[in-house]
Amino acid sequence: MATQEAPATAREWHLAARPQGWPVPTDFALVEAPVRTPGPGEILVRNAYLSVDPYMRGRMNDVKSYAPPFRLGAPMDGGAVGYVVASAAEGFAPGDAVLHGLGWREYATLPAEQAVKVDPAAAPLSAYLGVLGMTGLTAYAGLLAVGGLKEGDRVFVSGAAGAVGSIVGQIARLKGASLVVGSAGSAEKVARLVEDFGFDAAFNYKDGPVHEQLAKAAPEGIDLYFDNVGGDHLEAAIGALGVHGRAVLCGAIAQYNDTTAPAGPRNLAQAIGKRLRLEGMLVRDHAALQPQFVAEVGGWLREGKLREEQTVVDGFENAAEAFLDLLRGANTGKMVVRLDG
């Protein structure tokens, strides 16, 4: 076993209360806790970057879902990258950079089999939480495997300035889409979608009804919709999709904090006549695509054909506020928390 100095205690974020509607700061608690020495087969990691993601909002509710709910009074978890500081596991040594699932804490002790080595020389460490991690694979698998993108498709992406959406739009363009349209929540984000991420058109969903703005941006309709928002965006997309259109249901951030049932989409019956395919997706179902994904997306990054945007929040003590900002749409691209400032 190789060891390195680690503190006796460190900070971690606990779920203090289950939110009713929008989460508030008092739903979280910053707690000092012992740092456990790794046992056989385990490693101790000093986290460098933490991921905050929209799906975490669902885990704050005590309901059955595809991921277990966070426990009250216990540390939350999520994606993180950091450096091994102590190892009792073969194949891992102090200084190794690893990706793992015990975020929301400064130090994490975990079975080595639940960590994956990453190369900080090949890409910035935080990229393994974004374009080269779960975010990128979600975009890649959702668009290509679930959505079945074909050359010439007209594509609409909601939440297009977010972590997944900004990558979806770029991959659609690289794979031969004839039109890529995105929605976002500010004029600045709309401008960046066109100028920096290569979207053909974009609109601010706050400027007017989504279906009217989408019809103007895609007057001939769309073939494929990548849904990160739900609600009025999904309703608008159903109206704009042509016969045999496809919708990839990845997220519904517009509804995550609702306390009542969503009002729509009200036009779901159109899916019958148009023979639409609306398919939900979870990234964990597409692990087999990982080698292909890393090779292709990594190549695009090296060649400068694909851009990753990150919103970086400094300071572990600001992790809960970073998550709240994410739900408010304050980020462009992937939202990460940098622990070392």
Side-chain angles (χ1 to χ4, degrees), residues 13 25 28 50-54 56 104 311-331 334-338:
W13 281 99
F28 306 85
L50 310 177
S51 178
V52 290
D53 301 283
M56 294 173 175
W104 291 93
T311 298
V312 180
V313 174
D314 280 316
F316 179 73
E317 65 278 4
N318 296 318
E321 190 60 36
F323 174 68
L324 297 178
D325 280 347
L326 172 79
L327 295 180
R328 299 182 193 115
N331 61 301
K334 184 76 184 77
M335 177 81 91
V336 296
V337 178
R338 180 166 50 199

Side-chain angles (χ1 to χ4, degrees), residues 98-316:
V98 295
L99 169 68
H100 64 90
L102 291 187
W104 291 93
R105 62 203 85 189
E106 292 179 296
Y107 284 80
T109 304
L110 66 148
E113 64 189 20
Q114 295 177 12
V116 177
K117 286 187 185 180
V118 296
D119 184 1
L125 200 59
S126 61
Y128 293 100
L129 295 175
V131 67
L132 291 177
M134 181 182 71
T135 297
L137 182 57
T138 299
Y140 186 87
L143 187 66
L144 303 180
V146 180
L149 177 75
K150 300 189 295 289
E151 189 172 350
D153 275 349
R154 299 179 299 259
V155 179
F156 172 42
V157 187
S158 60
V164 173
S166 60
I167 299 173
V168 169
Q170 293 180 85
I171 295 176
R173 169 61 66 222
L174 287 164
K175 287 290 190 178
S178 64
L179 177 71
V180 182
V181 177
S183 69
S186 72
E188 179 186 5
K189 288 181 178 180
V190 166
R192 296 208 59 196
L193 287 176
V194 176
E195 296 166 8
D196 296 336
F197 295 112
F199 283 67
D200 296 293
F203 60 84
N204 183 347
Y205 65 84
K206 298 175 183 176
D207 286 347
V210 175
H211 72 276
E212 292 181 4
Q213 297 195 75
L214 178 58
K216 184 177 179 180
E220 297 181 3
I222 59 174
D223 304 294
L224 176 58
Y225 171 51
F226 197 104
D227 188 20
N228 293 303
V229 174
D232 58 350
H233 280 73
L234 179 54
E235 184 171 298
I238 289 171
L241 282 164
V243 174
H244 298 301
R246 296 95 67 205
V248 180
L249 308 182
C250 179
I253 195 168
Q255 299 161 210
Y256 288 166
N257 299 301
D258 286 351
T259 56
T260 57
R266 298 162 296 181
N267 58 347
L268 195 55
Q270 289 188 27
I272 302 169
K274 291 183 177 182
R275 283 84 86 199
L276 302 182
R277 177 163 62 84
L278 286 69
E279 184 172 351
M281 75 155 296
L282 293 179
V283 66
R284 68 187 185 198
D285 295 338
H286 301 279
L289 281 177
Q290 182 76 17
Q292 174 185 327
F293 155 72
V294 170
E296 190 160 25
V297 172
W300 288 332
L301 283 172
R302 288 190 297 274
E303 295 163 16
K305 294 180 177 179
L306 191 148
R307 172 182 183 140
E308 184 192 28
E309 184 79 12
Q310 291 193 338
T311 298
V312 180
V313 174
D314 280 316
F316 179 73

